[in-house]
Amino acid sequence: RTDMLLTMRRCGLKIEKHHHEVATAGQCEIGIRFDTLTRAADNIFIYKYIVKNIAHKHNKVATFMPKPMFNDNGSGMHCNQSIWMDGANLFSGDKYAGLSQTALYYIGGLISHAHSLAAILSPTTNSYKRLVPGFEAPVNLAYSQANRSAAVRIPLTPEGNAAAKRVEYRPPDPSCNPYLGFSAMLLAGLDGVKRKMDPGEAVNENIYHMSKDKSARIKKLPGSLDEALFALESDHDYLLQGNVFTRDVIETWVE
């Protein structure tokens, strides 16, 4: 892993952290620093190329499968995001967990469009073997500060550090196309801002430990790729804003 991150650094990637993750069979995390949308997507491909080739050099195989091992934690691609304008972070404010109203509306957009987003962010049948209750999988469409059982997590940041305020969307996995995935998340969030989508109350309780009745009141992500694709067929107008996606692209993706 150290060989991988040193190679990444030589290729221009900025590494924030690296450590062994929760799953038992050699699961690792190398966290890379934020960048603009397109450059961040570029960095994902550089990252994966380096990881696979350095693993091969050491006579090992690296996989980015969402769920490579039965009955063990899967591998996600948690995406931290914030919107900036004129050098200011529009997600920093005086609302829940230090977020702005804009950030809360953005979360509302992510949650509202989560089912159709899943068709792009979790685009393989294996993705839905990861998105099952337990195993730290973010199946619950709720938001919370530092709560890993919610699909949207608000990372803890140093007090007064407005630049670090962000939201983390946890459902995506590394089988997705980051150019399409990052664009789709941004459009969903912006639709929430434009239409002032209320995300509801934050869920501060660990959802995995809730009673069945309380947990049942929280919406869940799709349970299969088919379900996600049906959702995308019926909910995709938000993707057509700003000439980013076209109807042809969406139809071809579903096909």
Side-chain angles (χ1 to χ4, degrees):
R1 191 169 75 234
T2 300
D3 194 358
M4 289 171 183
L5 74 89
L6 290 174
T7 305
M8 288 180 187
R9 240 173 39 178
R10 288 197 294 272
C11 292
L13 299 189
K14 295 177 180 177
I15 310 301
E16 299 258 290
K17 60 182 177 181
H18 73 119
H19 55 85
H20 195 293
E21 259 295 353
V22 177
T24 52
Q27 186 186 50
C28 298
E29 175 177 343
I30 301 176
I32 56 176
R33 196 176 185 191
F34 64 88
D35 212 320
T36 56
L37 188 151
T38 305
R39 183 59 193 166
D42 291 342
N43 290 343
I44 294 296
F45 277 101
I46 297 168
Y47 175 114
K48 292 171 79 171
Y49 183 81
I50 290 169
V51 166
K52 288 180 178 180
N53 279 278
I54 296 297
H56 181 73
K57 188 179 86 170
H58 290 271
N59 297 314
K60 297 182 183 297
V61 174
T63 178
F64 288 94
M65 281 183 72
K67 188 76 165 182
M69 298 289 290
F70 173 72
N71 209 31
D72 207 343
N73 284 29
S75 297
M77 188 175 73
H78 302 163
C79 296
N80 291 266
Q81 42 205 293
S82 57
I83 299 175
W84 290 63
M85 181 183 288
D86 299 327
N89 182 2
L90 301 186
F91 278 13
S92 178
D94 59 359
K95 304 295 183 184
Y96 175 79
L99 295 176
S100 66
Q101 187 62 62
T102 297
L104 291 175
Y105 287 148
Y106 189 96
I107 292 170
L110 288 174
I111 291 175
S112 175
H113 297 300
H115 279 234
S116 58
L117 279 175
I120 297 171
L121 301 175
S122 306
T124 66
T125 53
N126 185 259
S127 299
Y128 297 88
K129 298 181 187 300
R130 166 184 171 250
L131 293 175
V132 294
F135 306 105
E136 290 195 8
V139 297
N140 299 291
L141 293 176
Y143 70 101
S144 180
Q145 179 171 273
N147 188 340
R148 297 177 189 279
S149 63
V152 181
R153 175 174 167 260
I154 318 304
L156 293 170
T157 55
E159 191 172 345
N161 188 352
K165 193 54 64 179
R166 61 197 187 274
V167 303
E168 177 188 15
Y169 195 56
R170 299 168 65 81
D173 70 57
S175 69
C176 83
N177 178 318
Y179 298 101
L180 298 181
F182 295 171
S183 299
M185 282 187 286
L186 178 61
L187 288 168
L190 289 177
D191 192 51
V193 173
K194 180 181 177 181
R195 296 168 56 188
K196 297 184 177 180
M197 293 179 176
D198 183 1
E201 293 296 318
V203 179
N204 294 313
E205 183 181 349
N206 189 323
I207 301 169
Y208 299 141
H209 299 155
M210 279 183 175
S211 67
K212 287 185 178 180
D213 287 344
K214 285 182 73 175
S215 176
R217 291 197 289 267
I218 298 173
K219 291 182 179 179
K220 304 292 190 283
L221 281 164
S224 69
L225 181 57
D226 279 351
E227 191 181 334
L229 290 169
F230 283 130
L232 181 60
E233 285 184 310
S234 61
D235 175 32
H236 57 252
D237 286 350
Y238 69 96
L239 294 173
L240 303 177
Q241 300 180 64
N243 297 316
V244 180
F245 288 81
T246 65
R247 211 171 292 279
D248 282 351
V249 167
I250 295 167
E251 289 173 358
T252 302
W253 184 262
V254 172
E255 187 181 346

